[in-house]
Amino acid sequence: MSTNPELEAQIDQWRGYVQRRRAISASDVEEMEDHLREQVTDLTSTGLHDDEAFLVSVKRMGNLDEVSREFAREHSDRLWKQLVLVPEPSDGGARSWRELGVVLALALGAGAAVKLGVELFADEMVVVRNIGLLVLPFLAGYFAWKRKLTWQVGAALLVPFALLAVVLNVYPFDPDGSTLFLAASHSIVALWALVAVAYAGGRWRSDARRMDYVRFTGELAIYFVLLALGGGVLIGLTLGTLGLVGVDFEPVLESWILPFCVPGALIVAAWLVEAKQNVVENIAPVLTRVFTPLTIVMLLVFLGVFATTGGLLDVDRELLILMDAVLVLVLCLLLYSISARDSLAPPGLFDVLQLVLVVAALAVDAVTLSAMLTRIAEFGFSANKVAALGLNLVLLVHLAWSAWLTVGFLRGARTFAPIERWQTRYLPAYAVWALIVVVIFPPAFAFA
């Protein structure tokens, strides 16, 4: 770890604060300081400044220790200084300005790639199937620059990107066939898994880095939605104002602003998550505690709807698709809540609610699987049915073992760590299934 005098002074201040607590022995203080320094080292290696890394580390330790929590609360005024997007030169502003320049260049590059794709391909479906290939390489490029990836890891990432590009553009898809839509949608999942390798700095086997990526994905979605809402308000006001003076702004909006702003906002949102990760209180605990009980109610309502539809063959196809979307939402909520939970905290009421959520999702998944198997037995196989069936089986395994581990945690038979490890180690199963759908399904179903 760097020997920054200001950082050492902050750690000394923290150590003195902790040592004044008589209940903590000198050996415990040393152990806590070692843990604090490890946290700071890990965070500075991801690009945070020393001040930011120290504040984040103390706040994280505050989740584990009441004394550190009090220290973080008493010194929380320092956090406001870190909220500035680009700090002053004395605070490392030159490096932040350079990073901002890289981010804006990549955002413009992603927008230019989408605009070029729209201009080159007359068929909109060609652009749609390639949208991930046009945007996500720029996001991966940002993390490759940020994490200082070696050329070996960069080359290893380029190969699957190129293979997916070949598959999506060489396969003779039927323009009206389902395999085209399946390949285009599942390619996003596969590409997102490749971005995870760049995000982890090549350490893709690390459970901690995978969980960080889960947390990053959730916070990225929040930032992107906020940017989209703000941009939508500005665009609406601009359209209304120019419309009053007889200026038609829609052609410019459709041809230039949207192709650049939407993909660019994704890159900027990723930078915001990276620049201010956990400096302020994480929003994940709030969101998960609000939406978990609401999702439980929704799942129970859906089970009631299933119960009133009659036979499984009578279940509407669109309802089954909606059920899959709900199950994916439950999975995201589960992962996001686990990523935000203090792993050393004892079981609580929210853990019970989370178990109820998983069990309700398992019930919905079981009913959905039964309905799908019934429809396949009656009407035969199709690409859509098999893809949905496979996704539900992957979700069933994930949710069932999560429920089993959570029961053991609530009973005190195991710690929370196995639940975390299960989430991170099972995630590649979704990427593998996505690759199967993209690469194998089209020829298996005659590209129809």
Side-chain angles (χ1 to χ4, degrees):
M1 192 175 69
S2 71
T3 56
N4 185 326
E6 185 177 348
L7 174 60
E8 290 299 323
Q10 290 176 328
I11 293 179
D12 287 341
Q13 185 181 9
W14 170 84
R15 184 171 53 244
Y17 185 93
V18 174
Q19 287 174 337
R20 289 196 295 271
R21 293 302 191 266
R22 295 181 179 179
I24 302 179
S25 65
S27 60
D28 289 336
V29 173
E30 291 179 2
E31 183 178 351
M32 291 173 65
E33 182 178 343
D34 288 341
H35 183 61
L36 175 66
R37 289 181 178 275
E38 289 176 2
Q39 290 268 1
V40 172
T41 301
D42 289 342
L43 289 170
T44 52
S45 67
T46 65
L48 285 185
H49 301 300
D50 287 343
D51 284 349
E52 292 176 322
F54 171 75
L55 290 170
V56 173
S57 299
V58 170
K59 285 181 70 65
R60 285 182 176 178
M61 289 186 66
N63 292 330
L64 312 179
D65 175 76
E66 182 64 30
V67 176
S68 289
R69 185 182 298 115
E70 289 297 325
F71 179 87
R73 185 178 299 119
E74 287 190 14
H75 295 78
S76 60
D77 57 308
R78 296 180 186 172
L79 288 174
W80 297 106
K81 176 185 175 183
Q82 307 300 332
L83 291 178
V84 182
L85 287 178
V86 181
E88 296 298 324
S90 60
D91 297 325
R95 183 172 64 178
S96 295
W97 277 113
R98 183 169 62 253
E99 180 170 351
L100 177 58
V102 171
V103 168
L104 293 179
L106 289 170
L108 288 173
V114 173
K115 175 62 178 175
L116 186 61
V118 172
E119 295 296 329
L120 290 179
F121 305 120
D123 187 355
E124 290 184 358
M125 282 307 300
V126 176
V127 179
V128 171
R129 81 171 88 162
N130 286 282
I131 192 67
L133 291 166
L134 295 173
V135 177
L136 293 183
F138 291 91
L139 182 58
Y142 167 61
F143 289 124
W145 175 83
K146 179 84 171 176
R147 306 287 192 259
K148 298 179 175 60
L149 286 188
T150 63
W151 68 268
Q152 294 94 333
V153 176
L157 281 176
L158 286 176
V159 172
F161 267 106
L163 289 176
L164 284 171
V166 170
V167 167
L168 290 174
N169 292 281
V170 173
Y171 273 4
F173 291 105
D174 181 350
D176 299 322
S178 58
T179 56
L180 173 59
F181 171 76
L182 289 173
S185 57
H186 284 74
S187 67
I188 302 295
V189 179
L191 290 168
W192 197 250
L194 293 177
V195 174
V197 178
Y199 177 88
R203 296 157 51 198
W204 61 274
R205 293 183 178 179
S206 169
D207 291 330
R209 297 305 288 160
R210 289 183 186 180
M211 187 56 75
D212 286 343
Y213 191 61
V214 169
R215 191 178 299 111
F216 162 80
T217 301
E219 294 180 0
L220 175 68
I222 294 171
Y223 274 106
F224 185 78
V225 169
L226 291 175
L227 290 174
L229 290 174
V233 171
L234 291 177
I235 289 173
L237 292 173
T238 303
L239 283 172
T241 302
L242 295 179
L244 293 175
V245 296
V247 177
D248 186 6
F249 187 64
E250 288 190 10
V252 177
L253 175 66
E254 296 175 359
S255 299
W256 292 98
I257 295 180
L258 291 181
F260 275 88
C261 288
V262 175
L266 181 68
I267 310 298
V268 172
W271 169 65
L272 290 173
V273 176
E274 279 289 289
K276 299 301 165 189
Q277 53 182 324
N278 293 323
V279 173
V280 293
E281 197 66 32
N282 200 318
I283 197 173
V286 178
L287 291 177
T288 53
R289 279 162 175 74
V290 170
F291 285 100
T292 293
L294 295 177
T295 307
I296 291 173
V297 173
M298 181 178 64
L299 290 173
L300 295 177
V301 170
F302 285 149
L303 286 172
V305 171
F306 270 120
T308 59
T309 55
L312 293 176
L313 194 60
D314 298 327
V315 176
D316 190 82
R317 174 176 172 271
E318 294 184 358
L319 180 59
L320 294 177
I321 295 174
L322 180 60
M323 291 301 98
D324 280 346
V326 171
L327 290 173
V328 171
L329 172 64
V330 170
L331 173 66
C332 294
L333 189 60
L334 172 67
L335 290 172
Y336 200 35
S337 61
I338 289 176
S339 73
R341 191 190 188 282
D342 174 9
S343 59
L344 298 183
L349 175 60
F350 186 73
D351 297 296
V352 177
L353 282 177
Q354 194 166 316
L355 177 61
V356 173
L357 173 70
V358 174
V359 171
L362 278 171
V364 171
D365 197 1
V367 174
T368 305
L369 276 171
S370 301
M372 288 179 178
L373 291 172
T374 303
R375 293 178 68 87
I376 289 175
E378 181 70 19
F379 303 112
F381 290 94
S382 69
N384 284 330
K385 293 174 187 174
V386 176
L389 181 65
L391 174 61
N392 277 268
L393 288 173
V394 174
L395 284 169
L396 181 68
V397 174
H398 192 167
L399 294 172
W401 195 247
S402 295
W404 174 255
L405 293 175
T406 304
V407 169
F409 173 64
L410 292 174
R411 293 176 56 202
R414 60 176 59 91
T415 63
F416 192 76
I419 301 177
E420 287 185 309
R421 285 197 300 269
W422 169 246
Q423 312 308 319
T424 57
R425 295 181 182 181
Y426 192 77
L427 284 176
Y430 294 95
V432 171
W433 177 247
L435 281 174
I436 291 173
V437 174
V438 173
V439 178
I440 298 177
F441 268 46
F445 290 94
F447 304 99

